[in-house]
Amino acid sequence: MEFETAIIGAGAAGMMCAAHLDGRTLVVDHAKAAGEKIRISGGGRCNFTNLYTDPDAFICANPHFAKSALARYTQWDFIALVEAHGIAWHEKTLGQLFCDNSAKDIVAMLRDLMAARGAELRLNSSVSDVQKVGDHFSFTLQTPDGAHKMTAKNLVIATGGKSIPKMGATGWAYDIARQFGLPVTDIRPALVPFTFADGRFAEISGVAVPSRVHADGPVFEEALLFTHRGLSGPAILQASSYWTEGNAVTVDIAPPDMYEALRKQRQEAGRRNFTTELSRHLPSRLVEHLSGVFDLSGNLADWSDARLGALIDGLRQWELLPNGTEGYRTAEVTVGGVDTDALNSRTMASKEHPNLFFIGEAVDVTGWLGGYNFQWAWSSAMAAAEALNKAP
């Protein structure tokens, strides 16, 4: 069977591309249902984009690569698409947009758009033996009813990265890239909790605090959660995308007015135990844990301005050395991927093979937590679709 375009991967990027393609299109996925990552995202509500999407919110070896696609299909474009299909949405924190009802609404919208274009969707199917024969790609499609030889003029790889392997994620996109001579950057799990070998935070598992966290990158001001295995929460997940093994993570858990507030408390309740007064600013279980990290002995009256200042500095520059992360098992995305130096930033096509495209998470473009990665899926998919529709 011959197709104009074959898209491997029926996730966010693959479905979005197929939903806007002319010509006979085949979409293949080994999963039982399309858009499974969409379905589970955002607690089942799908954080489908972010109001503040900007190239600076993406990690890539070439910081300019994502600019073209993001500028030509923006968050506002996807919001307009969602609204045109009657999907109600709301904003949470930091520009994060979610469906009012269910993430399934986004999947249904993309399925409807694909159907309207006549795209053929094959689930429970896998692709093997990909070859380029002349101007076309030839491959074997393994389906429940047997193997079928297929050809397509264009091939779009939208199989994502290695995050969440229990959903079938693999490094297949990287294998295809290498097969056709495209380099792949180093990859690692991202938007992932940190682990500590000594289980040092097990006793305060479940405690959450506002924080400012950074690890070889921007400072993220969001919640931090202590867990049995280590550290999690939005601020930690964000910092993990920039962290490299062997480096420390710097945590700031001191409220902005803590120093002046403690000085005032010293005048009013100086005879009280210092940890009791500190618990007015931080959870008591956390204060108990911090007693083993910092010297919190004595009454508040015993604490000089210098000692208070030193503690505040310590809480604002608390360096922690993880032994690792929870890995791809719980990582929301993969940092790294198909090297953007080998791709055309306007079309997402291989420079060496102009009818071979890589979109979404398979590419070395990784967004922050909060809808940025979905926006990259939409934008990169539209860049490919636009180029394919213009192709002779």
Side-chain angles (χ1 to χ4, degrees), residues 267-340:
Q267 294 178 334
E268 300 170 350
R271 293 186 178 182
R272 292 185 180 177
N273 188 282
F274 181 76
T275 55
T276 300
E277 292 302 292
L278 187 61
S279 295
R280 293 172 59 180
H281 304 281
L282 296 170
S284 57
R285 287 173 60 201
L286 176 57
V287 170
E288 184 177 350
H289 174 83
L290 291 173
S291 296
V293 180
F294 302 97
D295 178 11
L296 304 182
S297 61
N299 295 329
L300 186 52
D302 301 328
W303 282 66
S304 65
D305 285 354
R307 189 181 178 190
L308 284 175
L311 174 64
I312 301 300
D313 288 344
L315 293 175
R316 286 186 175 153
Q317 299 177 55
W318 188 13
E319 288 199 349
L320 299 168
L321 185 62
N323 77 298
T325 71
E326 291 190 5
Y328 292 113
R329 180 181 64 85
T330 59
E332 295 192 25
V333 291
T334 305
V335 162
V338 178
D339 195 326
T340 57

Side-chain angles (χ1 to χ4, degrees), residues 192-202 213 224-232 236 243 247-251 289 318-326:
V192 63
F194 288 123
T195 58
F196 292 77
D198 55 8
R200 72 182 69 176
F201 301 120
V213 179
L224 177 153
L225 174 68
F226 296 95
T227 72
H228 279 92
R229 301 192 67 189
L231 297 174
S232 188
I236 290 297
W243 180 77
N247 288 347
V249 178
T250 302
V251 170
H289 174 83
W318 188 13
E319 288 199 349
L320 299 168
L321 185 62
N323 77 298
T325 71
E326 291 190 5

Side-chain angles (χ1 to χ4, degrees), residues 132-167:
K132 191 172 184 183
V133 182
D135 293 333
H136 286 63
F137 289 92
S138 170
F139 55 89
T140 301
L141 184 63
Q142 304 285 348
T143 66
D145 61 351
H148 308 273
K149 268 292 186 183
M150 304 283 188
T151 62
K153 180 180 178 182
N154 307 295
L155 184 62
V156 180
I157 307 300
T159 53
K162 296 183 71 173
S163 56
I164 318 183
K166 69 180 180 182
M167 297 188 68

Side-chain angles (χ1 to χ4, degrees), residues 7 9-21 27 38 73-74 77-78 81 106 109-111 113-114 117 158 359 374-383 385:
I7 300 174
M15 295 176 73
M16 185 69 171
C17 187
H20 293 87
L21 270 186
V27 183
I38 299 175
Y73 191 85
T74 70
D77 293 317
F78 193 77
L81 182 66
I106 300 293
M109 175 188 76
L110 294 172
R111 288 289 301 265
L113 287 168
M114 289 169 60
R117 291 276 181 163
I359 59 177
F374 273 126
Q375 185 58 47
W376 171 245
W378 317 137
S379 297
S380 60
M382 288 299 288

Side-chain angles (χ1 to χ4, degrees), residues 210-212 221 252-261 281 312 316:
S211 68
R212 289 166 55 84
E221 191 169 354
D252 173 358
I253 57 171
D257 60 350
M258 191 173 176
Y259 175 73
E260 291 301 330
H281 304 281
I312 301 300
R316 286 186 175 153

Side-chain angles (χ1 to χ4, degrees), residues 31-76:
K32 295 179 181 179
E36 283 295 85
K37 265 195 172 182
I38 299 175
R39 182 184 61 80
I40 68 168
S41 67
R45 295 277 180 95
C46 186
N47 180 192
F48 58 81
T49 193
N50 195 292
L51 293 177
Y52 305 120
T53 298
D54 179 272
D56 289 342
F58 294 84
I59 304 166
C60 177
N62 176 359
H64 302 292
F65 179 83
K67 290 180 178 179
S68 177
L70 291 171
R72 287 183 293 121
Y73 191 85
T74 70
Q75 62 270 40
W76 312 111

